[in-house]
């Protein structure tokens, strides 16, 4: 089983939130401060257009301090080289600061589960992420992002 693990495990206490948990639409992701960073992540993997400045903007200082900006930049290149662009088929919001996704790589053609973890306060930067191959058939799912034309 292929496992890439890039996360800073934080004890996250979250106050009650008006935003709903559960399956998320693209519109819900775009409206959410954390969800919009997931969209940015997918776009950055696809384009390969990521810089130290964007790492500092979208990732938490604690994660950058622990992993280093160079390691985070390398993670994008690893995903891009091994899996290609990522297609999101399902987004499940576990809590305000945690999402689980079902994705497929355009190059690897493998189904994967991604976890995204965010700071518990605004601006809700990425505090960690995981990507693991997963077993199962998700062929019945329709892509959420990017949508096929």
């Amino acid at each position: 089983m292929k496992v890439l693990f890039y996360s800073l495990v934080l004890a996250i206490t979250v106050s009650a939130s008006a935003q709903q948990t559960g399956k998320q639409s693209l519109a819900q992701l775009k409206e959410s401060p954390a969800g919009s960073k997931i969209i940015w992540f997918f776009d950055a993997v696809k384009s390969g257009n990521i810089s130290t400045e964007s790492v500092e903007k979208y990732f938490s200082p604690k994660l950058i301090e622990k992993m280093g900006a160079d390691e985070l930049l390398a993670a994008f290149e690893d995903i891009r080289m091994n899996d290609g662009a990522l297609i999101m088929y399902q987004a499940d919001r576990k809590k305000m600061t945690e999402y689980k996704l079902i994705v497929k790589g355009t190059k690897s053609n493998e189904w994967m589960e991604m976890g995204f973890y965010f700071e518990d306060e605004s601006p809700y930067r990425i505090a960690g992420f995981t990507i693991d191959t997963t077993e199962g058939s998700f062929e019945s799912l329709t892509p959420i992002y990017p949508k096929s034309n």
Side-chain angles (χ1 to χ4, degrees), residues 36-46 59 76 79 86 114 116 126 129:
S36 63
K37 289 172 182 69
I38 293 171
I39 300 298
W40 167 82
F41 187 99
F42 275 63
D43 290 343
V45 168
K46 182 178 180 178
F59 289 91
F76 278 86
I79 294 169
L86 299 174
M114 290 189 78
F116 279 90
I126 300 169
F129 66 94

Side-chain angles (χ1 to χ4, degrees), residues 1-143:
M1 175 181 271
K2 175 177 75 172
V3 177
L4 296 173
F5 187 72
Y6 305 98
S7 89
L8 173 64
V9 180
L10 299 173
I12 300 174
T13 48
V14 179
S15 59
S17 170
Q19 297 185 15
Q20 294 183 351
T21 58
K23 303 291 185 268
Q24 302 289 292
S25 67
L26 180 58
Q28 288 171 309
L29 286 171
K30 287 180 175 181
E31 290 172 6
S32 162
S36 63
K37 289 172 182 69
I38 293 171
I39 300 298
W40 167 82
F41 187 99
F42 275 63
D43 290 343
V45 168
K46 182 178 180 178
S47 71
N49 188 17
I50 182 159
S51 64
T52 302
E53 292 79 19
S54 58
V55 165
E56 291 171 356
K57 180 178 179 181
Y58 290 100
F59 289 91
S60 74
K62 287 182 183 180
L63 182 61
I64 294 169
E65 182 180 320
K66 180 174 179 157
M67 301 290 300
D70 290 342
E71 184 69 26
L72 289 167
L73 289 166
F76 278 86
E77 187 59 25
D78 287 347
I79 294 169
R80 185 175 158 89
M81 294 302 296
N82 293 320
D83 297 306
L86 299 174
I87 301 170
M88 184 187 327
Y89 284 82
Q90 183 173 295
D92 190 10
R93 186 178 190 168
K94 299 298 187 181
K95 51 187 166 182
M96 187 173 166
T97 58
E98 181 181 342
Y99 288 77
K100 295 290 181 188
L101 311 175
I102 299 296
V103 305
K104 191 173 191 179
T106 59
K107 185 175 181 181
S108 67
N109 205 33
E110 290 185 319
W111 289 102
M112 296 169 277
E113 182 177 270
M114 290 189 78
F116 279 90
Y117 310 91
F118 298 90
E119 296 172 315
D120 58 353
E121 294 179 1
S122 184
Y124 301 103
R125 290 171 293 205
I126 300 169
F129 66 94
T130 60
I131 184 168
D132 305 312
T133 56
T134 188
E135 300 297 321
S137 175
F138 301 99
E139 299 296 333
S140 64
L141 297 176
T142 304

